[in-house]
Amino acid sequence: MAASIVQKGIKECFLCRRDAEQVMYYGPLQAAGLHKHHIIFGNPGRKLSEKYGLWCWLCLRHHTGSSEAVHQNRENDLYLKRLAQEAFESHHSRAEWMQIFERNYLSSEPKSQEDAKESQEVGFWLIE
């Protein structure tokens, strides 16, 4: 199990900390009852997240227990995936990310290798 490269230091809900800092609260947060969230989940994403340290701690509300939960809220899910990719790319290249995870969460470039292929095949012509 690799240490998280996304969340370093104190054990607390990563998204609760983000929300707390938005209202300028920097004090302690709940540390009990946290879930380890593998940011790239599914198969084989969970094992890859573990291998590369792409995980963080989440409270029940932010993991599975509400409409803000990453497994139900696409915005929060993508937020963590972008941070994970940025953290990975601070140690590795974009090409390595794409080779391992096959999906880009950071830019307007094609999101996957399949999307890149489709963008080359599909198009339209403007005829004046």
Short mmCIF file of all heavy atoms in Angstrom, two decimals, residues 59-82:
data_model
loop_
_atom_site.label_atom_id
_atom_site.label_comp_id
_atom_site.label_asym_id
_atom_site.label_seq_id
_atom_site.Cartn_x
_atom_site.Cartn_y
_atom_site.Cartn_z
N CYS A 59 -15.27 11.25 4.77
CA CYS A 59 -16.31 10.92 5.75
C CYS A 59 -17.45 10.22 5.00
O CYS A 59 -17.50 10.21 3.77
CB CYS A 59 -16.81 12.19 6.44
SG CYS A 59 -17.67 13.35 5.34
N LEU A 60 -18.36 9.65 5.74
CA LEU A 60 -19.49 8.94 5.15
C LEU A 60 -20.27 9.85 4.21
O LEU A 60 -20.63 9.46 3.10
CB LEU A 60 -20.41 8.38 6.23
CG LEU A 60 -21.68 7.69 5.74
CD1 LEU A 60 -21.32 6.45 4.93
CD2 LEU A 60 -22.57 7.32 6.91
N ARG A 61 -20.52 11.08 4.62
CA ARG A 61 -21.29 12.03 3.80
C ARG A 61 -20.64 12.26 2.45
O ARG A 61 -21.31 12.30 1.42
CB ARG A 61 -21.45 13.36 4.55
CG ARG A 61 -22.16 14.45 3.75
CD ARG A 61 -22.44 15.67 4.61
NE ARG A 61 -21.24 16.32 5.07
CZ ARG A 61 -20.71 17.41 4.51
NH1 ARG A 61 -21.30 17.98 3.48
NH2 ARG A 61 -19.62 17.95 5.00
N HIS A 62 -19.33 12.38 2.43
CA HIS A 62 -18.62 12.65 1.18
C HIS A 62 -18.24 11.39 0.40
O HIS A 62 -17.85 11.48 -0.76
CB HIS A 62 -17.38 13.50 1.43
CG HIS A 62 -17.69 14.94 1.64
ND1 HIS A 62 -17.39 15.61 2.81
CD2 HIS A 62 -18.30 15.84 0.84
CE1 HIS A 62 -17.79 16.86 2.71
NE2 HIS A 62 -18.35 17.03 1.52
N HIS A 63 -18.36 10.23 1.02
CA HIS A 63 -18.00 8.99 0.31
C HIS A 63 -19.22 8.34 -0.33
O HIS A 63 -19.26 8.19 -1.55
CB HIS A 63 -17.30 8.01 1.26
CG HIS A 63 -16.62 6.90 0.55
ND1 HIS A 63 -16.67 5.61 0.98
CD2 HIS A 63 -15.85 6.88 -0.58
CE1 HIS A 63 -15.97 4.83 0.15
NE2 HIS A 63 -15.46 5.59 -0.80
N THR A 64 -20.22 7.99 0.46
CA THR A 64 -21.39 7.29 -0.09
C THR A 64 -22.71 7.76 0.49
O THR A 64 -23.75 7.34 0.02
CB THR A 64 -21.29 5.76 0.16
OG1 THR A 64 -21.21 5.54 1.58
CG2 THR A 64 -20.09 5.16 -0.53
N GLY A 65 -22.69 8.64 1.50
CA GLY A 65 -23.89 8.88 2.30
C GLY A 65 -24.74 10.09 1.98
O GLY A 65 -25.62 10.42 2.76
N SER A 66 -24.53 10.77 0.88
CA SER A 66 -25.36 11.93 0.58
C SER A 66 -25.25 12.27 -0.91
O SER A 66 -24.49 11.65 -1.64
CB SER A 66 -24.92 13.15 1.40
OG SER A 66 -23.74 13.71 0.88
N SER A 67 -25.98 13.29 -1.30
CA SER A 67 -25.90 13.74 -2.70
C SER A 67 -24.55 14.39 -3.01
O SER A 67 -24.22 14.61 -4.16
CB SER A 67 -27.04 14.70 -3.01
OG SER A 67 -26.95 15.85 -2.18
N GLU A 68 -23.76 14.71 -1.97
CA GLU A 68 -22.42 15.27 -2.16
C GLU A 68 -21.35 14.18 -2.26
O GLU A 68 -20.20 14.47 -2.51
CB GLU A 68 -22.07 16.19 -0.99
CG GLU A 68 -22.96 17.40 -0.86
CD GLU A 68 -22.62 18.22 0.37
OE1 GLU A 68 -21.47 18.11 0.87
OE2 GLU A 68 -23.49 18.95 0.83
N ALA A 69 -21.74 12.93 -2.06
CA ALA A 69 -20.80 11.82 -2.04
C ALA A 69 -20.18 11.59 -3.41
O ALA A 69 -20.87 11.67 -4.43
CB ALA A 69 -21.50 10.55 -1.56
N VAL A 70 -18.90 11.28 -3.44
CA VAL A 70 -18.20 11.12 -4.71
C VAL A 70 -18.76 9.98 -5.55
O VAL A 70 -18.64 10.02 -6.78
CB VAL A 70 -16.68 10.93 -4.52
CG1 VAL A 70 -16.05 12.18 -3.97
CG2 VAL A 70 -16.37 9.74 -3.65
N HIS A 71 -19.38 9.00 -4.93
CA HIS A 71 -19.96 7.91 -5.70
C HIS A 71 -21.35 8.26 -6.24
O HIS A 71 -21.97 7.46 -6.94
CB HIS A 71 -20.01 6.62 -4.86
CG HIS A 71 -18.66 6.03 -4.64
ND1 HIS A 71 -17.94 5.41 -5.62
CD2 HIS A 71 -17.87 5.98 -3.53
CE1 HIS A 71 -16.78 4.99 -5.14
NE2 HIS A 71 -16.71 5.33 -3.87
N GLN A 72 -21.83 9.47 -5.92
CA GLN A 72 -23.12 9.93 -6.42
C GLN A 72 -23.05 11.32 -7.07
O GLN A 72 -23.97 11.72 -7.77
CB GLN A 72 -24.14 9.99 -5.27
CG GLN A 72 -24.39 8.64 -4.63
CD GLN A 72 -25.34 8.74 -3.46
OE1 GLN A 72 -26.32 9.47 -3.51
NE2 GLN A 72 -25.05 8.00 -2.41
N ASN A 73 -21.99 12.04 -6.82
CA ASN A 73 -21.86 13.42 -7.28
C ASN A 73 -20.71 13.52 -8.27
O ASN A 73 -19.53 13.45 -7.89
CB ASN A 73 -21.62 14.33 -6.07
CG ASN A 73 -21.55 15.79 -6.44
OD1 ASN A 73 -20.73 16.19 -7.26
ND2 ASN A 73 -22.38 16.59 -5.80
N ARG A 74 -21.02 13.66 -9.54
CA ARG A 74 -20.01 13.66 -10.60
C ARG A 74 -19.02 14.81 -10.44
O ARG A 74 -17.83 14.67 -10.71
CB ARG A 74 -20.71 13.73 -11.98
CG ARG A 74 -19.78 13.59 -13.13
CD ARG A 74 -19.28 12.16 -13.26
NE ARG A 74 -18.48 12.02 -14.46
CZ ARG A 74 -17.42 11.24 -14.54
NH1 ARG A 74 -17.04 10.51 -13.52
NH2 ARG A 74 -16.73 11.17 -15.65
N GLU A 75 -19.49 15.97 -10.00
CA GLU A 75 -18.61 17.13 -9.82
C GLU A 75 -17.52 16.84 -8.78
O GLU A 75 -16.34 17.11 -9.02
CB GLU A 75 -19.43 18.34 -9.40
CG GLU A 75 -18.64 19.61 -9.29
CD GLU A 75 -19.51 20.80 -8.93
OE1 GLU A 75 -20.65 20.89 -9.42
OE2 GLU A 75 -19.03 21.63 -8.15
N ASN A 76 -17.91 16.29 -7.63
CA ASN A 76 -16.91 15.97 -6.60
C ASN A 76 -16.00 14.83 -7.05
O ASN A 76 -14.81 14.84 -6.75
CB ASN A 76 -17.59 15.62 -5.28
CG ASN A 76 -18.04 16.85 -4.53
OD1 ASN A 76 -17.54 17.95 -4.75
ND2 ASN A 76 -19.00 16.70 -3.64
N ASP A 77 -16.56 13.86 -7.77
CA ASP A 77 -15.76 12.75 -8.30
C ASP A 77 -14.69 13.28 -9.26
O ASP A 77 -13.51 12.94 -9.14
CB ASP A 77 -16.67 11.73 -8.99
CG ASP A 77 -15.91 10.58 -9.60
OD1 ASP A 77 -15.01 10.01 -8.93
OD2 ASP A 77 -16.22 10.21 -10.74
N LEU A 78 -15.08 14.13 -10.19
CA LEU A 78 -14.13 14.69 -11.16
C LEU A 78 -13.11 15.61 -10.50
O LEU A 78 -11.95 15.66 -10.91
CB LEU A 78 -14.87 15.43 -12.28
CG LEU A 78 -15.62 14.53 -13.24
CD1 LEU A 78 -16.43 15.37 -14.23
CD2 LEU A 78 -14.69 13.59 -13.98
N TYR A 79 -13.52 16.33 -9.47
CA TYR A 79 -12.60 17.17 -8.71
C TYR A 79 -11.44 16.33 -8.17
O TYR A 79 -10.27 16.68 -8.34
CB TYR A 79 -13.35 17.88 -7.58
CG TYR A 79 -12.47 18.59 -6.59
CD1 TYR A 79 -11.86 19.80 -6.92
CD2 TYR A 79 -12.24 18.06 -5.32
CE1 TYR A 79 -11.05 20.46 -6.01
CE2 TYR A 79 -11.43 18.71 -4.41
CZ TYR A 79 -10.83 19.90 -4.75
OH TYR A 79 -10.02 20.55 -3.85
N LEU A 80 -11.77 15.20 -7.54
CA LEU A 80 -10.73 14.33 -6.99
C LEU A 80 -9.89 13.69 -8.09
O LEU A 80 -8.68 13.55 -7.96
CB LEU A 80 -11.34 13.26 -6.10
CG LEU A 80 -11.92 13.74 -4.77
CD1 LEU A 80 -12.51 12.58 -3.99
CD2 LEU A 80 -10.87 14.47 -3.94
N LYS A 81 -10.52 13.30 -9.19
CA LYS A 81 -9.78 12.69 -10.30
C LYS A 81 -8.79 13.68 -10.92
O LYS A 81 -7.66 13.32 -11.26
CB LYS A 81 -10.75 12.14 -11.34
CG LYS A 81 -11.40 10.82 -10.92
CD LYS A 81 -12.37 10.33 -11.96
CE LYS A 81 -12.83 8.92 -11.74
NZ LYS A 81 -13.39 8.58 -10.47
N ARG A 82 -9.19 14.94 -11.04
CA ARG A 82 -8.26 15.96 -11.57
C ARG A 82 -7.07 16.15 -10.62
O ARG A 82 -5.92 16.22 -11.05
CB ARG A 82 -8.98 17.27 -11.80
CG ARG A 82 -9.86 17.27 -13.05
CD ARG A 82 -10.39 18.65 -13.38
NE ARG A 82 -11.36 19.13 -12.40
CZ ARG A 82 -12.67 18.92 -12.48
NH1 ARG A 82 -13.18 18.24 -13.48
NH2 ARG A 82 -13.47 19.39 -11.56
#
